[in-house]
Amino acid sequence: MKGSKKTFLLEGLDCAVCAAKIEDNVKKIDGICNASVDLINTKLTVELEDINNINDINKIIKKVVKDIEPNIHISDSESKITKDKDSRFRLKIMQLLFAATLFILPVIFKLPEYMKFSLFFISYIISGGEIIALSIKKLLKGQLFDENFLMSISTIGAFAIGKYEEGVSVMLFYQIGTLIEDYAVDNSRKSIKDLMDIRPDYANLKIENNIKKVPPEAVNIGDIILVKPGEKIPLDGKVIDGKSFVDTSSLTGEYLPMEVTIGSEVLSGFINKNGLLTVKVEKNFKESTVSKVLDLIENANNKKARTENFITKFAKYYTPIVTLSALFIATIPPLLLNENFSNWIYRALVFLVISCPCALVISIPLSFFSGIGAASKSGILIKGGNYLEALNDVKTIVFDKTGTLTEGTFRMTEICAEDPFKSDELLKYAAYGEYYSNHPIASSIVSAYGGEIDTAKIKDYIELAGNGIKAIIDDKETLIGNSELMKSHNIAFKDVRPYSAVHIAVNGKYAGYIVISDTIKKDSKDAVKALKSLGAERLIMLTGDKKEISQYISNELGLDDVYSELLPHEKVNVVDKLCRNNYNGKVAFVGDGINDAPALTRADIGIAMGKIGTDAAIEASDVVLMTDEPYKLVDAIKIAKKTHKIVLENIILALGVKLSVLTLGALGFATMWEAVFADVGVTVLAVFNSLRILAK
């Protein structure tokens, strides 16, 4: 089957350069359409032209991976690779403890020279034999410049000039440091993955009078499922029986439980807290919210930020340059200065030890993935590191109005009755008059009234297109509609702005008006204020609504500009013009409807409201806000800025320490063990610094 995907787990992959090489080489294999390596999750995903050739392709892929990085353990079974990894981790600890014991003996006790050398050498082979073997394998394949080569050449060089103790201590400390690094990276990967532990394991499918536990993938649209207290809701659907509170935090970031009852929409990934719910499934698992969320997060790391790509390229050229520089230090100065070669060789070896770019190639991708994980924890889905980085540069934010800055639902916000009419009487006339209408405004008036409608009191009902309704209600001629209706019947009325009011006249006398409006969301104003404080220079609203209504909302929110009475294609034209003319930063568009999809696609960054947003808008966007709160955009930009800050800190920290020790080593002021301590130490610090992004 063309386009089928297969995922391999690459245990031991922690090098961005190796990841890029694996990706490039696997793409060249016949029968593979595409390949992508996720460094954070240590996964290789391949898209196959024909699933029937899978066995042959599996062998080729494993050979390609082993040729590039022989130390990687490749498997398509996560449980098997986890078990093997735990076993190797324990073996590694025992191996290093034994090597450390052999190293300490000649340091503590006075032993004959041959015994000291033997113990140091055995300790060196036990602690570093794997690294030397790996370097030789890569050397035979023409792959010279990596951390294994640097450690091998520097420690062998130390033995060659009689610095046995330093050669062993450097290799031993490097291996211990690598173990700490692996532990730190694994823990950080685990903490990020734990945020996305929302995949349901099963669904309780109701078949006649029986309940069968089945995989969520086996449930079809229209099927009935039961969700017991404490269980995850496995698929999107509607509650048809039961009442409960659900924990929505895994999707929305909101920790206050939400009450659901008959008729409530529930999403996969919600956790049922107390009551028993019967749910009618409305989407299959592949199209359900939880499946889309997981897919977005798991594939987010495939879209790398500019900084990540730069670090990968940097590491590729940096190590060979440093190695050649070390060769220069070892040979040229002693020739020019007529000095002892061993002293300059030692300096070159120190120079090599510190040159490993691990701190950068591990911590930078980890920082971006931590940012994506922190955003998802807050109910914000960012589809790639490139979009996370781009949020830092947003200077113009364009909002759709309805459903984005406003609630998108009409409700009565004001009622004003003229003497001798009372407010409740006015509302009753309006509700009776609007009872037969399907217009959203009519529904909101009937809903606001809330009382029983006696249809026998409604006679001679006439809908006047574009103006309103004329009817006999309770034996009185009643007019309900806009200002044009009042004018056409010569009735003096109050001109209400900015909203178009629903006017009511009874037996030719003006009775008053009711204001029905699409209200501004409670956090819209705070969001606008916060976005400006974060550096947004222009906040613009696009809408198909009337000019005076749009201008009123714009003024209330403090927006910089508003474009009203736009059709969908005109929204795209405005966004296109802003993108082409915006030289200072990027343009983001925030919308929720199917008509917003083209504008979301055209903007530099498309941001969709996920809760009420259509599938088309979510698919077209780069960032999804899982609630209807505009303030989530503020949170997204804050996370992006925090990620950017920590990435810069890691780059400055790593390069600063390395350049300092490189210089000191070249001048003879740093020893090998100080160099390896600095190298491993700065890597561990950078990894833990990356995890700060996940902290609230």
Side-chain angles (χ1 to χ4, degrees), residues 230-394:
E231 291 183 335
K232 292 172 188 171
I233 296 175
L235 300 109
D236 295 3
K238 184 176 286 186
V239 177
I240 59 173
D241 191 26
K243 183 179 180 181
S244 183
F245 283 92
V246 293
D247 178 356
T248 69
S249 60
S250 57
L251 294 182
T252 66
E254 298 298 324
Y255 286 89
L256 190 66
M258 180 178 78
E259 186 178 16
V260 294
T261 185
I262 295 172
S264 298
E265 300 281 345
V266 289
L267 302 178
S268 51
F270 287 178
I271 298 173
N272 185 19
K273 299 293 284 184
N274 45 14
L276 179 68
L277 295 176
T278 304
V279 177
K280 185 176 182 180
V281 176
E282 294 185 335
K283 289 183 180 178
N284 60 39
F285 183 72
K286 190 177 179 182
E287 296 302 316
S288 67
T289 302
V290 70
S291 184
K292 288 186 175 180
V293 169
L294 287 166
D295 185 61
L296 287 178
I297 296 171
E298 286 170 359
N299 291 310
N301 200 52
N302 295 334
K303 296 172 182 174
K304 295 178 176 64
R306 288 194 308 270
T307 310
E308 289 181 272
N309 288 325
F310 164 73
I311 292 302
T312 302
K313 290 174 184 174
F314 169 83
K316 189 176 179 181
Y317 297 105
Y318 166 82
T319 308
I321 289 169
V322 168
T323 307
L324 293 173
S325 300
L327 183 63
F328 177 88
I329 292 168
T331 55
I332 304 302
L335 288 173
L336 292 176
L337 302 173
N338 196 25
E339 290 187 2
N340 192 334
F341 270 90
S342 63
N343 180 39
W344 286 97
I345 289 171
Y346 181 77
R347 294 185 189 188
L349 296 176
V350 173
F351 192 84
L352 283 175
V353 169
I354 191 59
S355 68
C356 179
C358 294
L360 295 173
V361 298
I362 292 174
S363 68
I364 304 308
L366 188 63
S367 297
F368 281 103
F369 200 73
S370 294
I372 291 166
S376 66
K377 187 178 180 181
S378 299
I380 304 157
L381 300 183
I382 301 175
K383 296 184 181 180
N386 52 342
Y387 304 123
L388 181 66
E389 190 173 52
L391 282 171
N392 283 286
D393 303 324
V394 171

Side-chain angles (χ1 to χ4, degrees), residues 103-139:
F103 169 72
I104 291 168
L105 287 173
V107 173
I108 296 175
F109 301 107
K110 280 192 173 184
L111 299 172
E113 199 62 33
Y114 76 92
M115 276 191 74
K116 284 178 72 173
F117 175 79
S118 300
L119 289 171
F120 280 139
F121 184 73
I122 294 168
S123 176
Y124 177 73
I125 294 299
I126 292 171
S127 60
E130 184 183 12
I131 288 177
I132 296 166
L134 201 55
S135 298
I136 293 169
K137 284 180 185 176
K138 290 194 169 188
L139 183 64

Side-chain angles (χ1 to χ4, degrees), residues 61-124:
I61 289 172
K62 288 177 180 179
K63 185 178 183 304
V64 167
V65 172
K66 285 289 184 182
D67 283 347
I68 294 167
E69 189 54 68
N71 220 25
I72 287 177
H73 300 275
I74 182 167
S75 172
D76 50 12
S77 168
E78 190 158 4
S79 59
K80 181 179 182 300
I81 207 162
T82 303
K83 187 178 177 183
D84 291 346
K85 185 175 182 179
D86 291 342
S87 176
R88 282 192 295 272
F89 188 78
R90 286 192 296 270
L91 183 64
K92 187 81 170 178
I93 291 174
M94 291 169 63
Q95 181 183 329
L96 292 178
L97 284 172
F98 184 50
T101 304
L102 293 177
F103 169 72
I104 291 168
L105 287 173
V107 173
I108 296 175
F109 301 107
K110 280 192 173 184
L111 299 172
E113 199 62 33
Y114 76 92
M115 276 191 74
K116 284 178 72 173
F117 175 79
S118 300
L119 289 171
F120 280 139
F121 184 73
I122 294 168
S123 176
Y124 177 73

